[in-house]
Amino acid sequence: MNKTVLKGALTSAIILSGALAASQAAVADDDGKSYEVTIRVATRGQPIAPSVFVTHDSSFSIFEVGPADDLDPQYEGLAMLAETGSPAALAGAIDGADGVDTVTVLLTPTHPSPPVLFPGESNSTIITASEGKLSFSAVGMLAATNDAFYAVRGVALPKKGSITVYGDVYDAGSEPNTELLADIPAGGNDAYNSPDAAGEGHIHVHAGIHGGGTLDPATHDWRNPAVEITITRLDD
């Protein structure tokens, strides 16, 4: 896959949707706890678009497997992330939601690395969490797909040291899985189709790439997990 083409296409989608403005959504709390979060691509052929990291309490869920609510801004934001790679709408929909503490979009790393991660690459950032809101969730698009995204949901942040968690892949159910390069950001298609545009209509575990279009399963298919995320407590 041409890295320059994919980085250019996804960068354009992110800028046009205003995600750069949302990248500073995380606000440090004076009493907050700090963590370094490092995401690594665990597939051989799937790039990962910029992730959304959320700290929250047990009442919040970034999504639920099952029927999708087309009128829910949070689901529409998730669908937009899964189709275009842009995290802006989802970050905006959950920032300030009940149970949510901080929302961080991984566009500004602490280590030199592009926001779009290719196999073998990693990226890190610092997040904060307030007392009582010490759960962590994360999502990000698998960029060579129609509407696939990895997810980590409701993991307890470490009290000290580091933990490593893994993200499996889900289908947003908002777009048909044509497996055509022309229909995904890697092919320069930044368009977002509304969730009622002939998708499956429910969030489910993704079935992978099967070769029905121009994407090559030998390169772009995967086995779960798709990402590895290490979370390190910084202020023991």
Side-chain angles (χ1 to χ4, degrees):
M1 176 179 293
N2 187 314
K3 292 187 178 183
T4 301
V5 170
L6 179 53
K7 287 177 180 175
L10 281 177
T11 299
S12 296
I14 291 164
I15 291 173
L16 287 173
S17 65
L20 290 178
S23 67
Q24 303 303 319
V27 178
D29 188 289
D30 290 341
D31 299 320
K33 305 176 190 308
S34 298
Y35 306 83
E36 181 179 56
V37 180
T38 299
I39 178 173
R40 298 176 179 86
V41 181
T43 72
R44 69 173 272 192
Q46 277 289 341
I48 304 297
S51 296
V52 176
F53 297 153
V54 188
T55 60
H56 56 89
D57 66 22
S58 60
S59 70
F60 173 79
S61 178
I62 197 163
F63 70 91
E64 297 290 343
V65 172
D69 181 356
D70 295 350
L71 301 179
D72 180 6
Q74 186 169 318
Y75 172 67
E76 186 170 22
L78 180 68
M80 187 174 293
L81 174 145
E83 289 186 27
T84 72
S86 171
L90 179 61
I94 61 180
D95 187 26
D98 289 346
V100 169
D101 187 22
T102 63
V103 182
T104 305
V105 175
L106 188 55
L107 289 176
T108 307
T110 56
H111 304 305
S113 183
V116 178
L117 298 179
F118 286 84
E121 294 184 336
S122 64
N123 199 347
S124 299
T125 196
I126 305 298
I127 66 170
T128 63
S130 300
E131 193 67 43
K133 295 184 177 179
L134 298 178
S135 294
F136 171 85
S137 295
V139 292
M141 182 192 188
L142 273 67
T145 68
N146 290 97
D147 61 344
F149 64 97
Y150 85 82
V152 170
R153 295 189 288 164
V155 172
L157 291 164
K159 295 181 179 179
K160 61 180 180 178
S162 298
I163 61 170
T164 297
V165 297
Y166 300 89
D168 290 342
V169 182
Y170 296 84
D171 190 315
S174 59
E175 181 176 280
N177 294 323
T178 64
E179 299 184 12
L180 294 172
L181 188 64
D183 291 341
I184 64 177
N189 187 342
D190 301 340
Y192 166 65
N193 296 311
S194 61
D196 60 356
E200 298 87 353
H202 60 99
I203 299 174
H204 54 281
V205 174
H206 203 287
I209 302 296
H210 297 281
T214 49
L215 296 178
D216 181 8
T219 300
H220 299 119
D221 195 23
W222 65 88
R223 299 294 180 269
N224 283 326
V227 301
E228 175 185 275
I229 296 178
T230 300
I231 307 170
T232 302
R233 175 76 177 267
L234 297 179
D235 48 0
D236 291 342

